[in-house]
């Protein structure tokens, strides 16, 4: 059973492991969007966006609701927004550490 939980977690994070998918999720954190709106905001081809949305949908990270001829996408769980914010804080902390190290190196006597 524990192994299946780790597999679920690994699959979930694999779904997030693409820059375009992260950007799509950031857009959806701001509110529900149609495929066309996402494409426009990303300035990306429809097929590329649709492929990445399919990955997120298949891993139950987002879901789409058909409204007439348009599909509107939403985050499956609003905690995704919190997860992305925490990831950004971790990234910022890492950068701060790297900047401090660089400053120490620059201040070392030759």
């Amino acid at each position: 059973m524990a192994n299946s939980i780790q597999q679920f977690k690994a699959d979930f994070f694999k779904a997030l492991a693409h820059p375009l998918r992260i950007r799509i999720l950031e857009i959806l954190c701001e509110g529900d969007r149609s495929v066309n709106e996402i494409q426009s905001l990303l300035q990306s081809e429809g097929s590329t966006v649709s492929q990445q949305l399919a990955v997120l949908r298949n891993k139950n990270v987002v879901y789409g609701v058909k409204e007439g001829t348009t599909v509107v996408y939403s985050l499956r769980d609003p905690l995704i927004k919190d997860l992305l914010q925490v990831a950004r804080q971790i990234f910022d902390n890492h950068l701060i550490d790297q900047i401090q190290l660089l400053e120490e190196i620059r201040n070392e006597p030759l």
Side-chain angles (χ1 to χ4, degrees), residues 93-108:
N93 290 340
H94 178 73
L95 286 177
I96 288 168
D97 290 344
Q98 296 302 313
I99 290 169
Q100 289 172 347
L101 180 61
L102 181 60
E103 287 173 357
E104 288 175 22
I105 291 170
R106 285 185 176 166
N107 291 329
E108 281 184 348

Side-chain angles (χ1 to χ4, degrees), residues 49-78:
V49 171
S50 293
Q51 288 170 352
Q52 300 308 325
L53 282 166
V55 171
L56 292 169
R57 195 176 54 247
N58 289 337
K59 295 298 180 183
N60 292 315
V61 179
V62 301
Y63 67 96
V65 174
K66 194 158 186 164
E67 295 180 1
T69 59
T70 303
V71 178
V72 176
Y73 281 90
S74 306
L75 297 175
R76 182 157 302 278
D77 190 324

Side-chain angles (χ1 to χ4, degrees), residues 78-96:
L79 289 174
I80 297 289
K81 185 175 183 177
D82 295 337
L83 176 68
L84 292 174
Q85 287 174 338
V86 168
R88 184 178 185 120
Q89 289 171 338
I90 292 168
F91 180 70
D92 288 350
N93 290 340
H94 178 73
L95 286 177
I96 288 168

